[in-house]
């Protein structure tokens, strides 16, 4: 019984590692919408069985980042422009709930954690835009986690990663300084309150993100999956 539990935990840990790596690769644009994700290639790259690779793909499919097609073919999801706009509309409502739970209640430790993410965004401002998108996504996911509300955390995390995928597909190049400055303003508004003021700022920020993005699709690329995922398995 103990060995069975340990085995399940180990399998779950490996699934989590693959999911984390693939999320990062998708949001950072290393993987593009429509790219195939063969179970055998993933298993070889991450040193796991096809069963574990399949479980990871199933979890990402539930999150909307992967599409599972017939004959066990998995590909990175391809969001439509309409889907992307709907995702941002839903995200505004969900993140307003996050702000209401946190306004005036952030601890100094939490403020420090959030500012560390923003500092990482600042340091990445001259690098690949996909990294900035991933860090901005992590900022909002971390905010949700600070509420301690499991259901809210689950839905905000999913919608944030779906929004990140949409940004990777449709966004135009823009200064990451915008996100950095807006995130710093958000931290201060949430820290001090009141909730209505902080919610209004979050609404403004997310609408600004949407207006800076959702414009065009990136071109298709032909690359080897093993090479793409190499940096994400380290």
């Amino acid at each position: 019984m103990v060995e069975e539990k340990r085995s399940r935990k180990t399998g779950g840990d490996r699934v989590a590692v693959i999911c984390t790596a693939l999320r990062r690769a998708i949001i950072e644009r290393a993987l593009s919408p429509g790219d195939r994700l063969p179970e055998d290639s993933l298993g070889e790259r991450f040193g796991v069985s096809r069963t574990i690779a399949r479980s990871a793909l199933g979890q990402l499919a539930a999150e909307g980042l992967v599409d599972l097609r017939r004959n066990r073919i998995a590909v990175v999801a391809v969001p439509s422009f309409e889907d992307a706009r709907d995702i941002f509309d839903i995200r505004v409502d969900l993140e307003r709930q996050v702000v209401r739970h946190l306004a005036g209640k952030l601890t100094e430790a939490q403020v420090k954690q959030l500012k560390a993410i923003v500092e990482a965004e600042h340091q990445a401002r001259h690098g690949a835009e996909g990294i900035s998108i991933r860090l901005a996504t992590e900022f909002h996911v971390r905010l949700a986690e600070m509420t301690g509300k499991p259901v809210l955390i689950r839905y905000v995390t999913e919608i944030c990663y779906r929004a990140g995928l949409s940004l990777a597909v449709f966004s135009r190049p823009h200064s990451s300084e915008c996100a950095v400055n807006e995130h710093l303003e958000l931290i201060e508004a949430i820290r001090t309150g009141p909730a209505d003021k902080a919610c209004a700022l979050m609404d403004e920020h997310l609408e600004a993100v949407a207006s800076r993005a959702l414009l065009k699709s990136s071109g298709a690329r032909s690359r080897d999956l093993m090479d793409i995922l190499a940096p994400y398995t380290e």
Side-chain angles (χ1 to χ4, degrees):
M1 181 67 71
V2 173
E3 287 298 325
E4 182 180 349
K5 288 182 179 179
R6 184 177 298 143
S7 177
R8 285 200 299 267
K9 184 177 186 299
T10 301
D13 290 343
R14 290 177 178 176
V15 168
V17 167
I18 298 172
C19 287
T20 297
L22 290 180
R23 287 190 200 102
R24 290 187 62 172
I26 290 170
I27 301 304
E28 291 184 6
R29 298 177 177 173
L31 289 169
S32 297
D35 280 354
R36 291 174 63 129
L37 301 168
E39 293 172 3
D40 54 352
S41 295
L42 289 176
E44 182 179 350
R45 169 49 68 190
F46 290 95
V48 300
S49 67
R50 293 183 62 168
T51 299
I52 290 177
R54 188 179 308 134
S55 295
L57 291 171
Q59 181 171 324
L60 292 173
E63 296 174 7
L65 296 181
V66 167
D67 286 336
L68 298 179
R69 299 177 178 175
R70 291 187 301 175
N71 300 321
R72 291 184 176 174
I73 295 175
V75 301
V76 177
V78 185
S80 68
F81 186 89
E82 292 73 21
D83 289 340
R85 183 63 261 185
D86 288 345
I87 284 168
F88 271 91
D89 288 342
I90 295 169
R91 183 177 176 180
V92 168
D93 289 335
L94 284 172
E95 296 217 49
R96 190 180 292 129
Q97 294 300 314
V98 170
V99 172
R100 290 197 179 282
H101 282 293
L102 295 178
K105 300 175 184 176
L106 285 180
T107 66
E108 288 303 315
Q110 289 173 327
V111 169
K112 185 176 181 179
Q113 290 176 35
L114 293 170
K115 287 186 175 180
I117 298 175
V118 177
E119 176 59 25
E121 290 183 76
H122 178 70
Q123 295 298 326
R125 69 192 185 284
H126 297 310
E129 189 179 9
I131 295 177
S132 295
I133 292 174
R134 191 255 301 168
L135 290 168
T137 300
E138 290 179 2
F139 174 87
H140 288 269
V141 170
R142 190 72 194 96
L143 269 177
E145 291 172 345
M146 288 176 178
T147 67
K149 303 288 184 182
V151 175
L152 185 58
I153 294 168
R154 174 185 173 184
Y155 286 111
V156 170
T157 299
E158 178 178 322
I159 208 71
C160 282
Y161 278 112
R162 288 195 182 201
L165 173 60
S166 297
L167 288 173
V169 176
F170 297 106
S171 67
R172 62 181 176 182
H174 65 273
S175 172
S176 58
E177 290 292 346
C178 295
V180 168
N181 293 333
E182 289 165 16
H183 284 171
L184 288 174
E185 291 174 358
L186 271 172
I187 293 171
E188 185 62 17
I190 296 172
R191 185 183 71 82
T192 60
D196 288 345
K197 179 181 177 181
C199 283
L201 191 61
M202 177 65 83
D203 290 356
E204 183 181 326
H205 166 60
L206 293 178
E207 285 300 330
V209 171
S211 70
R212 292 195 294 263
L214 309 186
L215 293 182
K216 61 183 179 181
S217 177
S218 58
R221 295 171 290 173
S222 177
R223 294 135 320 132
D224 181 75
L225 181 65
M226 297 291 282
D227 292 337
I228 293 168
L229 293 177
Y232 298 91
T233 59
E234 297 175 356

